Amino acid sequence: MNLARHSISSTAPVLIFDARFDPDCRIFTTSTQAGFAVYRTWPLQLLRKREITGGTLSAVVPLHTSSLLFLVGGGRSPRYPPNKVILWNDALAQEVAELEFREKVRGLACRRGWLAVALRRRVVVFEVGETVSRYGEWDTCDNPRGLLAIATAAYSTVLAIPGRQMGHIQLVHLPPCPPPQPIGPPSSTPPPRPPPAPTKHPVSIIAAHTTALSTLSVPPSGRLLATTSLRGTLIRIWDTNTGKLVRELRRGTDKAEIYGVAFRPDEREVCVWSDKGTVHVFALTSGSGASNRQSTFSPLTPFIPLPKYFDSEWSYAQYRIPSQSAHISLTAQPAKPPTADVVDEERCVVGWIEIAPEDQDEPGRVQRVEYQLVALTYTGGWYRLALPSSTSSASSASSSTPPSARAGTPSLRDPLSTSPPSVRTMSMARPRSSSGSSFAVRPDKGKERERDKEEKPGRECILREYRRFGRWDGWG
Protein backbone atom coordinates (compact mmCIF):
# COMPACT_ATOMS: atom_id res chain seq x y z
CA MET A 1 0.00 0.00 0.00
CA ASN A 2 1.43 3.34 -1.07
CA LEU A 3 0.86 6.10 1.49
CA ALA A 4 3.28 8.61 0.04
CA ARG A 5 0.59 10.38 -1.95
CA HIS A 6 -1.98 10.71 0.83
CA SER A 7 -2.39 12.80 3.95
CA ILE A 8 -4.05 11.97 7.24
CA SER A 9 -6.60 14.60 8.29
CA SER A 10 -8.56 14.65 11.51
CA THR A 11 -10.85 17.50 10.47
CA ALA A 12 -11.13 19.84 7.53
CA PRO A 13 -9.15 23.04 8.07
CA VAL A 14 -10.77 26.44 8.38
CA LEU A 15 -10.93 28.02 4.94
CA ILE A 16 -10.51 31.77 5.35
CA PHE A 17 -9.86 33.35 1.99
CA ASP A 18 -9.47 36.93 3.23
CA ALA A 19 -9.23 38.79 6.53
CA ARG A 20 -8.75 42.54 6.88
CA PHE A 21 -9.30 45.34 9.37
CA ASP A 22 -11.24 48.53 8.83
CA PRO A 23 -9.06 51.69 8.79
CA ASP A 24 -9.48 52.20 12.56
CA CYS A 25 -9.07 48.49 13.46
CA ARG A 26 -12.38 48.54 15.31
CA ILE A 27 -13.83 45.72 13.23
CA PHE A 28 -12.51 43.14 10.78
CA THR A 29 -14.11 41.09 8.03
CA THR A 30 -13.49 37.53 6.91
CA SER A 31 -14.60 35.65 3.81
CA THR A 32 -15.02 31.87 3.78
CA GLN A 33 -16.65 29.20 1.67
CA ALA A 34 -19.99 29.96 3.33
CA GLY A 35 -19.97 33.74 2.86
CA PHE A 36 -18.56 36.55 4.97
CA ALA A 37 -18.65 37.72 8.58
CA VAL A 38 -17.96 40.95 10.46
CA TYR A 39 -16.29 40.83 13.90
CA ARG A 40 -15.48 43.37 16.56
CA THR A 41 -11.71 43.41 16.92
CA TRP A 42 -11.57 43.69 20.71
CA PRO A 43 -13.25 42.32 22.70
CA LEU A 44 -13.62 39.68 20.02
CA GLN A 45 -17.29 39.33 19.06
CA LEU A 46 -19.15 38.14 15.99
CA LEU A 47 -21.34 41.07 14.93
CA ARG A 48 -23.04 39.67 11.86
CA LYS A 49 -22.61 37.08 9.15
CA ARG A 50 -24.03 36.54 5.70
CA GLU A 51 -24.22 33.19 4.02
CA ILE A 52 -23.80 33.56 0.30
CA THR A 53 -24.61 30.68 -2.03
CA GLY A 54 -23.40 30.17 -5.54
CA GLY A 55 -19.72 30.96 -5.09
CA THR A 56 -16.97 32.46 -2.93
CA LEU A 57 -15.46 35.88 -2.30
CA SER A 58 -11.81 36.87 -2.51
CA ALA A 59 -12.14 40.19 -0.64
CA VAL A 60 -14.61 41.89 1.70
CA VAL A 61 -13.57 45.50 2.37
CA PRO A 62 -15.42 47.43 5.12
CA LEU A 63 -16.04 51.16 4.80
CA HIS A 64 -15.06 52.06 8.37
CA THR A 65 -17.84 50.81 10.69
CA SER A 66 -20.70 51.64 8.33
CA SER A 67 -23.03 49.06 6.82
CA LEU A 68 -21.46 49.44 3.37
CA LEU A 69 -19.06 46.73 2.22
CA PHE A 70 -17.19 46.22 -1.04
CA LEU A 71 -17.19 42.63 -2.31
CA VAL A 72 -14.98 41.00 -4.95
CA GLY A 73 -15.51 37.45 -6.19
CA GLY A 74 -12.67 34.96 -6.25
CA GLY A 75 -11.54 31.41 -5.54
CA ARG A 76 -12.30 28.31 -7.56
CA SER A 77 -15.94 29.28 -8.05
CA PRO A 78 -16.33 33.08 -7.76
CA ARG A 79 -19.69 34.38 -6.59
CA TYR A 80 -19.23 37.47 -8.74
CA PRO A 81 -17.06 37.95 -11.84
CA PRO A 82 -13.51 38.94 -10.80
CA ASN A 83 -13.80 42.11 -12.91
CA LYS A 84 -16.62 43.54 -10.77
CA VAL A 85 -16.80 45.36 -7.43
CA ILE A 86 -20.11 44.89 -5.63
CA LEU A 87 -21.35 47.54 -3.21
CA TRP A 88 -23.23 45.65 -0.48
CA ASN A 89 -25.45 47.37 2.06
CA ASP A 90 -25.54 45.01 5.01
CA ALA A 91 -28.36 46.93 6.70
CA LEU A 92 -30.53 46.10 3.70
CA ALA A 93 -28.83 42.72 3.13
CA GLN A 94 -28.62 43.34 -0.60
CA GLU A 95 -26.48 44.68 -3.41
CA VAL A 96 -26.97 48.38 -4.05
CA ALA A 97 -24.53 48.97 -6.92
CA GLU A 98 -21.76 47.37 -8.95
CA LEU A 99 -18.71 48.59 -10.81
CA GLU A 100 -17.57 46.64 -13.86
CA PHE A 101 -14.14 46.79 -15.47
CA ARG A 102 -12.55 45.21 -18.53
CA GLU A 103 -10.03 43.29 -16.47
CA LYS A 104 -9.62 41.60 -13.10
CA VAL A 105 -9.79 43.74 -9.97
CA ARG A 106 -6.45 43.51 -8.12
CA GLY A 107 -6.96 45.59 -4.99
CA LEU A 108 -9.27 47.97 -3.13
CA ALA A 109 -8.84 50.85 -0.69
CA CYS A 110 -11.55 53.11 0.70
CA ARG A 111 -12.28 56.03 3.00
CA ARG A 112 -15.41 58.02 3.77
CA GLY A 113 -17.09 58.74 0.46
CA TRP A 114 -14.27 57.41 -1.72
CA LEU A 115 -13.22 54.11 -3.29
CA ALA A 116 -9.95 53.36 -5.13
CA VAL A 117 -9.71 50.28 -7.36
CA ALA A 118 -6.34 48.89 -8.46
CA LEU A 119 -6.13 47.13 -11.82
CA ARG A 120 -3.08 45.62 -13.50
CA ARG A 121 -1.69 48.91 -14.86
CA ARG A 122 -3.99 51.65 -13.56
CA VAL A 123 -5.87 52.88 -10.53
CA VAL A 124 -9.41 54.25 -10.78
CA VAL A 125 -10.95 56.41 -8.04
CA PHE A 126 -14.70 56.76 -7.44
CA GLU A 127 -16.71 59.14 -5.30
CA VAL A 128 -19.36 57.21 -3.37
CA GLY A 129 -22.44 59.09 -2.21
CA GLU A 130 -26.07 58.89 -3.22
CA THR A 131 -24.63 57.83 -6.55
CA VAL A 132 -21.23 56.44 -7.59
CA SER A 133 -19.25 58.62 -9.98
CA ARG A 134 -15.78 58.25 -11.47
CA TYR A 135 -13.37 60.88 -10.14
CA GLY A 136 -10.07 60.10 -11.88
CA GLU A 137 -7.70 57.52 -13.27
CA TRP A 138 -3.91 57.15 -13.04
CA ASP A 139 -1.52 54.86 -14.91
CA THR A 140 0.92 52.67 -12.95
CA CYS A 141 3.62 50.15 -13.67
CA ASP A 142 2.76 46.45 -13.68
CA ASN A 143 0.86 45.97 -10.41
CA PRO A 144 -0.24 42.32 -10.11
CA ARG A 145 -0.60 42.62 -6.31
CA GLY A 146 -3.03 45.51 -6.57
CA LEU A 147 -0.98 47.75 -4.26
CA LEU A 148 -2.46 51.04 -3.09
CA ALA A 149 -2.97 52.84 0.22
CA ILE A 150 -5.24 55.71 1.21
CA ALA A 151 -5.20 58.02 4.24
CA THR A 152 -8.48 57.86 6.18
CA ALA A 153 -8.25 60.52 8.93
CA ALA A 154 -10.33 63.69 8.81
CA TYR A 155 -9.01 66.21 6.26
CA SER A 156 -6.35 63.80 4.94
CA THR A 157 -5.74 63.76 1.18
CA VAL A 158 -3.03 61.20 0.34
CA LEU A 159 -3.51 58.27 -2.01
CA ALA A 160 -0.31 56.26 -2.60
CA ILE A 161 -0.09 54.09 -5.71
CA PRO A 162 2.80 52.56 -7.70
CA GLY A 163 4.44 54.92 -10.16
CA ARG A 164 5.03 54.30 -13.84
CA GLN A 165 8.54 53.02 -13.14
CA MET A 166 9.29 49.93 -11.11
CA GLY A 167 9.94 50.71 -7.45
CA HIS A 168 8.54 54.25 -7.65
CA ILE A 169 5.59 55.65 -5.69
CA GLN A 170 3.07 58.14 -7.03
CA LEU A 171 1.32 60.36 -4.46
CA VAL A 172 -2.12 61.59 -5.47
CA HIS A 173 -3.85 64.26 -3.38
CA LEU A 174 -7.62 63.82 -3.30
CA PRO A 175 -10.12 66.28 -1.81
CA PRO A 176 -9.91 66.36 2.00
CA CYS A 177 -11.59 63.47 3.77
CA PRO A 178 -14.73 64.62 5.61
CA PRO A 179 -14.79 64.09 9.39
CA PRO A 180 -17.08 61.36 10.74
CA GLN A 181 -20.61 62.28 11.63
CA PRO A 182 -21.10 62.51 15.42
CA ILE A 183 -23.28 59.83 16.98
CA GLY A 184 -25.17 60.34 20.22
CA PRO A 185 -24.77 63.36 22.52
CA PRO A 186 -22.22 66.00 21.53
CA SER A 187 -18.68 65.29 22.68
CA SER A 188 -16.82 67.52 25.11
CA THR A 189 -13.70 67.44 22.95
CA PRO A 190 -13.62 69.95 20.11
CA PRO A 191 -13.71 68.53 16.56
CA PRO A 192 -10.40 68.29 14.71
CA ARG A 193 -9.40 71.33 12.73
CA PRO A 194 -8.19 71.21 9.16
CA PRO A 195 -4.38 71.22 8.92
CA PRO A 196 -2.73 74.35 7.54
CA ALA A 197 -2.15 74.41 3.82
CA PRO A 198 1.36 73.31 2.80
CA THR A 199 3.75 76.13 2.04
CA LYS A 200 5.36 74.15 -0.79
CA HIS A 201 3.83 71.97 -3.45
CA PRO A 202 3.93 68.39 -2.09
CA VAL A 203 6.10 65.79 -3.75
CA SER A 204 4.30 63.59 -6.28
CA ILE A 205 6.94 60.90 -7.05
CA ILE A 206 9.18 58.98 -4.63
CA ALA A 207 11.90 56.63 -5.93
CA ALA A 208 11.52 54.14 -3.09
CA HIS A 209 13.22 50.94 -4.32
CA THR A 210 15.15 49.56 -7.26
CA THR A 211 13.10 46.34 -7.36
CA ALA A 212 9.36 45.74 -7.53
CA LEU A 213 7.22 46.82 -4.59
CA SER A 214 5.55 44.31 -2.29
CA THR A 215 3.57 46.53 0.13
CA LEU A 216 2.39 50.12 0.52
CA SER A 217 1.07 51.52 3.81
CA VAL A 218 0.14 54.94 5.15
CA PRO A 219 -1.12 55.96 8.60
CA PRO A 220 -4.56 57.59 8.87
CA SER A 221 -3.02 61.08 8.72
CA GLY A 222 -1.10 60.31 5.52
CA ARG A 223 2.03 62.12 6.77
CA LEU A 224 4.22 59.03 6.40
CA LEU A 225 4.55 56.22 3.88
CA ALA A 226 5.99 52.74 4.42
CA THR A 227 7.30 50.75 1.46
CA THR A 228 8.85 47.30 1.02
CA SER A 229 10.23 45.49 -2.00
CA LEU A 230 10.29 41.89 -3.19
CA ARG A 231 13.60 41.34 -1.39
CA GLY A 232 11.76 41.63 1.92
CA THR A 233 14.76 42.75 3.98
CA LEU A 234 14.20 46.51 4.37
CA ILE A 235 11.26 48.71 5.35
CA ARG A 236 11.60 52.34 4.33
CA ILE A 237 9.60 55.15 5.94
CA TRP A 238 9.08 58.32 3.86
CA ASP A 239 7.73 61.80 4.48
CA THR A 240 4.88 62.26 2.00
CA ASN A 241 5.19 66.05 2.03
CA THR A 242 8.90 66.34 1.29
CA GLY A 243 9.58 62.91 -0.20
CA LYS A 244 12.59 62.41 2.07
CA LEU A 245 13.57 59.11 3.66
CA VAL A 246 12.79 59.25 7.40
CA ARG A 247 13.90 55.80 8.59
CA GLU A 248 15.26 52.60 7.10
CA LEU A 249 14.43 49.49 9.13
CA ARG A 250 15.76 45.97 8.64
CA ARG A 251 13.52 42.93 9.00
CA GLY A 252 16.33 40.41 8.44
CA THR A 253 19.07 39.34 6.06
CA ASP A 254 17.38 36.50 4.19
CA LYS A 255 14.76 37.05 1.52
CA ALA A 256 11.12 37.02 2.63
CA GLU A 257 7.71 38.02 1.35
CA ILE A 258 6.42 40.86 3.50
CA TYR A 259 2.65 40.69 3.79
CA GLY A 260 1.98 44.06 5.37
CA VAL A 261 3.07 47.05 7.43
CA ALA A 262 0.85 48.82 9.99
CA PHE A 263 1.47 52.14 11.75
CA ARG A 264 0.54 52.66 15.38
CA PRO A 265 -2.29 55.22 15.64
CA ASP A 266 0.06 57.84 17.13
CA GLU A 267 2.68 57.03 14.44
CA ARG A 268 5.42 56.30 17.00
CA GLU A 269 5.84 52.63 16.10
CA VAL A 270 5.27 50.33 13.18
CA CYS A 271 4.80 46.58 12.89
CA VAL A 272 5.73 44.30 9.98
CA TRP A 273 4.75 40.70 9.23
CA SER A 274 5.95 38.31 6.55
CA ASP A 275 5.83 34.71 5.33
CA LYS A 276 8.38 33.82 8.01
CA GLY A 277 5.49 33.80 10.49
CA THR A 278 7.11 36.51 12.63
CA VAL A 279 5.70 39.91 13.59
CA HIS A 280 8.37 42.61 14.03
CA VAL A 281 7.83 45.87 15.94
CA PHE A 282 10.01 48.94 15.31
CA ALA A 283 10.16 52.27 17.08
CA LEU A 284 9.93 55.38 14.88
CA THR A 285 10.43 58.07 17.53
CA SER A 286 12.18 58.27 20.87
CA GLY A 287 8.89 59.08 22.59
CA SER A 288 7.60 55.53 22.10
CA GLY A 289 9.52 54.32 25.16
CA ALA A 290 11.54 51.75 23.20
CA SER A 291 14.59 51.83 20.96
CA ASN A 292 15.47 49.64 18.01
CA ARG A 293 18.42 47.28 18.22
CA GLN A 294 21.59 48.07 16.33
CA SER A 295 24.87 46.34 15.67
CA THR A 296 27.68 46.86 18.16
CA PHE A 297 29.68 48.17 15.19
CA SER A 298 27.20 50.98 14.46
CA PRO A 299 29.08 53.59 16.59
CA LEU A 300 32.12 53.02 14.36
CA THR A 301 30.38 53.81 11.06
CA PRO A 302 31.19 57.57 11.21
CA PHE A 303 34.90 56.75 11.54
CA ILE A 304 35.34 53.51 9.56
CA PRO A 305 33.88 52.90 6.07
CA LEU A 306 31.81 49.87 7.05
CA PRO A 307 29.01 48.50 4.85
CA LYS A 308 25.59 50.07 5.37
CA TYR A 309 24.37 46.78 6.82
CA PHE A 310 26.19 47.46 10.10
CA ASP A 311 24.27 50.70 10.57
CA SER A 312 20.85 49.04 10.22
CA GLU A 313 18.04 49.30 12.75
CA TRP A 314 16.48 46.00 13.84
CA SER A 315 13.15 45.38 15.53
CA TYR A 316 13.07 45.77 19.29
CA ALA A 317 10.22 43.25 19.72
CA GLN A 318 9.07 40.15 17.85
CA TYR A 319 6.46 37.43 18.05
CA ARG A 320 6.38 34.20 16.10
CA ILE A 321 2.90 33.02 15.13
CA PRO A 322 2.60 29.29 15.98
CA SER A 323 1.60 26.99 13.15
CA GLN A 324 -2.09 26.11 13.33
CA SER A 325 -2.02 23.14 10.98
CA ALA A 326 -5.14 20.99 11.25
CA HIS A 327 -3.72 17.97 9.45
CA ILE A 328 -0.60 15.84 9.30
CA SER A 329 0.85 15.33 5.86
CA LEU A 330 3.06 12.34 5.15
CA THR A 331 4.85 14.15 2.33
CA ALA A 332 5.53 17.75 1.42
CA GLN A 333 2.60 19.01 -0.63
CA PRO A 334 3.27 20.85 -3.89
CA ALA A 335 2.70 24.58 -4.10
CA LYS A 336 -0.94 25.49 -4.78
CA PRO A 337 -2.09 28.19 -7.18
CA PRO A 338 -3.62 31.30 -5.58
CA THR A 339 -7.09 30.31 -6.82
CA ALA A 340 -7.04 27.00 -4.94
CA ASP A 341 -9.14 26.74 -1.78
CA VAL A 342 -6.25 26.09 0.58
CA VAL A 343 -5.04 27.89 3.67
CA ASP A 344 -1.61 29.45 4.08
CA GLU A 345 -0.66 28.39 7.61
CA GLU A 346 1.75 31.25 8.31
CA ARG A 347 -0.24 33.99 6.59
CA CYS A 348 -1.70 36.61 8.89
CA VAL A 349 -2.80 40.23 9.08
CA VAL A 350 -1.94 42.50 12.02
CA GLY A 351 -3.52 45.67 13.37
CA TRP A 352 -3.17 48.02 16.35
CA ILE A 353 -5.76 48.46 19.10
CA GLU A 354 -5.96 50.85 22.05
CA ILE A 355 -6.49 49.41 25.53
CA ALA A 356 -8.20 51.98 27.73
CA PRO A 357 -6.95 52.37 31.34
CA GLU A 358 -10.14 50.86 32.78
CA ASP A 359 -9.61 47.75 30.66
CA GLN A 360 -6.09 47.03 31.95
CA ASP A 361 -5.29 44.46 34.57
CA GLU A 362 -3.39 46.69 37.05
CA PRO A 363 -5.84 49.12 38.70
CA GLY A 364 -3.45 49.97 41.53
CA ARG A 365 -1.41 52.58 39.66
CA VAL A 366 -1.94 55.46 37.28
CA GLN A 367 -2.72 54.03 33.87
CA ARG A 368 -2.41 55.42 30.39
CA VAL A 369 -3.64 54.23 27.03
CA GLU A 370 -1.74 51.13 25.98
CA TYR A 371 -1.30 50.07 22.37
CA GLN A 372 -1.42 46.36 21.62
CA LEU A 373 -1.42 44.19 18.52
CA VAL A 374 -4.10 41.85 17.19
CA ALA A 375 -2.95 39.20 14.71
CA LEU A 376 -5.45 37.25 12.59
CA THR A 377 -4.25 34.06 10.92
CA TYR A 378 -5.86 32.52 7.88
CA THR A 379 -6.47 29.37 9.92
CA GLY A 380 -8.77 31.17 12.35
CA GLY A 381 -6.37 32.18 15.13
CA TRP A 382 -6.88 35.48 17.00
CA TYR A 383 -3.89 36.72 19.03
CA ARG A 384 -3.80 39.77 21.29
CA LEU A 385 -0.19 40.76 21.91
CA ALA A 386 1.30 43.21 24.41
CA LEU A 387 4.61 44.90 23.73
CA PRO A 388 7.59 44.17 26.02
CA SER A 389 7.82 47.79 27.17
CA SER A 390 4.21 47.75 28.35
CA THR A 391 4.59 44.87 30.79
CA SER A 392 6.86 44.16 33.71
CA SER A 393 7.35 40.47 33.19
CA ALA A 394 6.97 37.97 30.39
CA SER A 395 5.46 35.49 32.83
CA SER A 396 2.17 37.39 32.90
CA ALA A 397 0.97 35.89 29.63
CA SER A 398 -2.65 34.83 29.45
CA SER A 399 -3.66 31.42 30.66
CA SER A 400 -5.49 30.95 27.38
CA THR A 401 -2.17 30.58 25.54
CA PRO A 402 -2.40 27.66 23.10
CA PRO A 403 -0.02 24.77 23.81
CA SER A 404 1.76 25.31 20.52
CA ALA A 405 2.49 28.92 21.49
CA ARG A 406 3.86 27.92 24.89
CA ALA A 407 5.96 24.95 23.87
CA GLY A 408 6.68 25.49 20.20
CA THR A 409 7.69 29.13 20.01
CA PRO A 410 11.41 29.21 19.31
CA SER A 411 13.79 31.64 20.90
CA LEU A 412 14.08 34.81 18.89
CA ARG A 413 17.68 35.41 19.91
CA ASP A 414 19.06 32.45 18.01
CA PRO A 415 18.34 33.06 14.30
CA LEU A 416 21.07 35.14 12.71
CA SER A 417 18.62 36.57 10.16
CA THR A 418 16.65 38.38 12.85
CA SER A 419 19.53 39.68 14.96
CA PRO A 420 21.99 42.50 14.29
CA PRO A 421 25.63 41.54 13.95
CA SER A 422 27.84 41.82 17.01
CA VAL A 423 31.39 41.07 17.99
CA ARG A 424 30.28 37.86 19.68
CA THR A 425 28.69 36.53 16.49
CA MET A 426 31.70 37.22 14.29
CA SER A 427 33.75 34.19 13.46
CA MET A 428 37.09 34.27 15.26
CA ALA A 429 40.10 32.08 14.47
CA ARG A 430 40.90 29.65 17.26
CA PRO A 431 44.43 28.43 18.08
CA ARG A 432 44.87 24.97 16.74
CA SER A 433 47.33 22.19 17.51
CA SER A 434 49.66 20.57 15.02
CA SER A 435 47.24 17.69 14.56
CA GLY A 436 44.55 20.07 13.34
CA SER A 437 42.23 19.68 16.29
CA SER A 438 41.22 22.69 18.32
CA PHE A 439 42.55 22.88 21.84
CA ALA A 440 40.99 26.26 22.76
CA VAL A 441 38.91 26.17 25.90
CA ARG A 442 35.22 26.19 24.93
CA PRO A 443 33.01 28.32 27.19
CA ASP A 444 29.99 26.88 28.88
CA LYS A 445 27.18 27.61 26.45
CA GLY A 446 24.44 27.16 29.03
CA LYS A 447 25.93 29.72 31.42
CA GLU A 448 26.62 32.10 28.56
CA ARG A 449 23.01 31.98 27.41
CA GLU A 450 21.76 32.58 30.94
CA ARG A 451 24.10 35.55 31.20
CA ASP A 452 22.75 36.91 27.92
CA LYS A 453 19.19 36.62 29.19
CA GLU A 454 20.08 38.59 32.30
CA GLU A 455 21.92 41.32 30.37
CA LYS A 456 19.51 41.76 27.45
CA PRO A 457 15.91 42.88 27.95
CA GLY A 458 13.18 40.61 26.65
CA ARG A 459 12.40 41.18 22.98
CA GLU A 460 9.37 38.92 22.66
CA CYS A 461 5.82 40.26 22.62
CA ILE A 462 3.56 38.90 25.36
CA LEU A 463 0.56 36.83 24.35
CA ARG A 464 -2.30 38.27 26.40
CA GLU A 465 -5.20 36.40 24.87
CA TYR A 466 -5.80 33.70 22.29
CA ARG A 467 -9.16 32.97 20.67
CA ARG A 468 -10.61 31.33 17.58
CA PHE A 469 -12.62 33.61 15.34
CA GLY A 470 -13.94 30.78 13.22
CA ARG A 471 -15.11 27.21 13.79
CA TRP A 472 -14.40 24.47 11.29
CA ASP A 473 -17.43 25.53 9.24
CA GLY A 474 -15.98 29.04 9.04
CA TRP A 475 -18.02 30.88 11.67
CA GLY A 476 -17.47 31.77 15.31
Side-chain angles (χ1 to χ4, degrees):
M1 183 174 63
N2 182 16
L3 295 178
R5 298 175 60 87
H6 301 275
S7 62
I8 300 175
S9 300
S10 57
T11 54
V14 181
L15 293 178
I16 297 176
F17 301 138
D18 180 71
R20 64 183 67 201
F21 294 97
D22 79 306
D24 301 322
C25 287
R26 295 182 180 178
I27 62 173
F28 67 90
T29 57
T30 62
S31 59
T32 69
Q33 286 181 320
F36 68 88
V38 181
Y39 289 85
R40 178 188 294 144
T41 304
W42 188 81
L44 180 64
Q45 180 184 359
L46 175 64
L47 300 179
R48 55 187 182 271
K49 65 179 181 179
R50 296 292 178 186
E51 296 185 2
I52 297 180
T53 59
T56 56
L57 303 173
S58 65
V60 179
V61 182
L63 181 59
H64 293 273
T65 55
S66 68
S67 60
L68 188 62
L69 302 168
F70 302 102
L71 312 181
V72 179
R76 288 180 176 176
S77 178
R79 174 63 179 85
Y80 304 106
N83 65 326
K84 288 186 177 182
V85 177
I86 306 300
L87 280 69
W88 175 277
N89 191 328
D90 205 56
L92 304 176
Q94 65 179 11
E95 308 166 9
V96 294
E98 70 175 33
L99 302 173
E100 185 175 2
F101 304 90
R102 295 182 180 179
E103 55 182 300
K104 179 181 177 181
V105 174
R106 302 285 176 170
L108 298 178
C110 62
R111 73 176 200 191
R112 294 181 187 90
W114 296 84
L115 171 67
V117 182
L119 305 175
R120 187 68 183 249
R121 290 187 176 272
R122 60 193 175 107
V123 171
V124 188
V125 177
F126 296 88
E127 191 171 0
V128 180
E130 296 296 331
T131 60
V132 181
S133 59
R134 182 189 292 254
Y135 174 79
E137 180 177 325
W138 291 266
D139 293 333
T140 67
C141 63
D142 189 25
N143 186 20
R145 298 171 180 263
L147 301 180
L148 74 169
I150 191 169
T152 58
Y155 307 110
S156 60
T157 62
V158 172
L159 168 67
I161 61 177
R164 296 186 180 183
Q165 298 184 29
M166 183 178 62
H168 288 201
I169 307 296
Q170 184 176 357
L171 299 179
V172 179
H173 289 271
L174 303 175
C177 179
Q181 296 295 330
I183 301 177
S187 175
S188 59
T189 59
R193 296 182 178 181
T199 57
K200 297 182 179 180
H201 187 72
V203 174
S204 58
I205 296 294
I206 297 177
H209 299 270
T210 57
T211 57
L213 301 170
S214 61
T215 63
L216 287 179
S217 300
V218 295
S221 67
R223 295 190 310 107
L224 301 175
L225 168 68
T227 63
T228 62
S229 69
L230 291 181
R231 294 179 181 177
T233 56
L234 296 177
I235 303 96
R236 289 174 177 159
I237 310 297
W238 307 86
D239 188 318
T240 56
N241 190 33
T242 62
K244 294 182 178 180
L245 180 64
V246 178
R247 302 293 283 268
E248 185 176 81
L249 311 171
R250 179 171 290 277
R251 179 209 58 83
T253 56
D254 54 339
K255 185 177 180 180
E257 180 181 0
I258 295 180
Y259 289 144
V261 180
F263 287 90
R264 207 170 84 170
D266 59 359
E267 302 177 10
R268 293 186 174 183
E269 292 183 345
V270 68
C271 69
V272 181
W273 59 99
S274 66
D275 62 349
K276 300 295 184 180
T278 305
V279 180
H280 298 262
V281 183
F282 299 87
L284 296 181
T285 63
S286 58
S288 64
S291 58
N292 298 326
R293 297 176 295 126
Q294 288 186 299
S295 168
T296 55
F297 295 101
S298 59
L300 303 178
T301 52
F303 311 101
I304 303 176
L306 294 174
K308 193 176 180 180
Y309 169 81
F310 291 97
D311 198 28
S312 300
E313 294 187 54
W314 303 69
S315 61
Y316 80 89
Q318 301 175 354
Y319 184 81
R320 183 173 293 278
I321 301 293
S323 176
Q324 295 292 332
S325 177
H327 63 278
I328 302 175
S329 177
L330 297 182
T331 60
Q333 301 295 330
K336 303 293 194 303
T339 56
D341 294 341
V342 295
V343 178
D344 191 346
E345 292 178 0
E346 294 183 340
R347 178 140 197 167
C348 66
V349 60
V350 184
W352 292 88
I353 61 173
E354 297 183 21
I355 305 298
E358 59 270 14
D359 297 331
Q360 298 181 24
D361 301 330
E362 302 177 7
R365 61 174 183 174
V366 178
Q367 301 285 349
R368 62 178 182 177
V369 174
E370 177 185 346
Y371 293 98
Q372 295 184 356
L373 297 172
V374 170
L376 310 174
T377 67
Y378 279 45
T379 52
W382 181 92
Y383 298 80
R384 181 165 68 91
L385 308 174
L387 302 178
S389 59
S390 62
T391 181
S392 58
S393 175
S395 61
S396 59
S398 172
S399 59
S400 58
T401 305
S404 58
R406 291 194 301 265
T409 304
S411 171
L412 297 178
R413 298 185 180 88
D414 294 339
L416 185 61
S417 62
T418 57
S419 300
S422 62
V423 178
R424 186 172 298 175
T425 59
M426 301 295 289
S427 110
M428 304 294 293
R430 295 178 179 176
R432 307 185 66 88
S433 64
S434 58
S435 60
S437 61
S438 173
F439 60 84
V441 179
R442 192 172 185 178
D444 190 342
K445 286 188 175 181
K447 294 182 179 179
E448 186 177 359
R449 289 183 179 179
E450 291 297 329
R451 193 182 307 113
D452 290 346
K453 291 182 180 180
E454 294 175 358
E455 294 175 357
K456 298 180 181 180
R459 295 190 286 107
E460 298 181 11
C461 295
I462 311 303
L463 179 61
R464 290 298 190 188
E465 189 178 2
Y466 170 79
R467 299 277 299 278
R468 300 288 292 181
F469 68 89
R471 292 200 308 265
W472 297 118
D473 58 357
W475 305 114

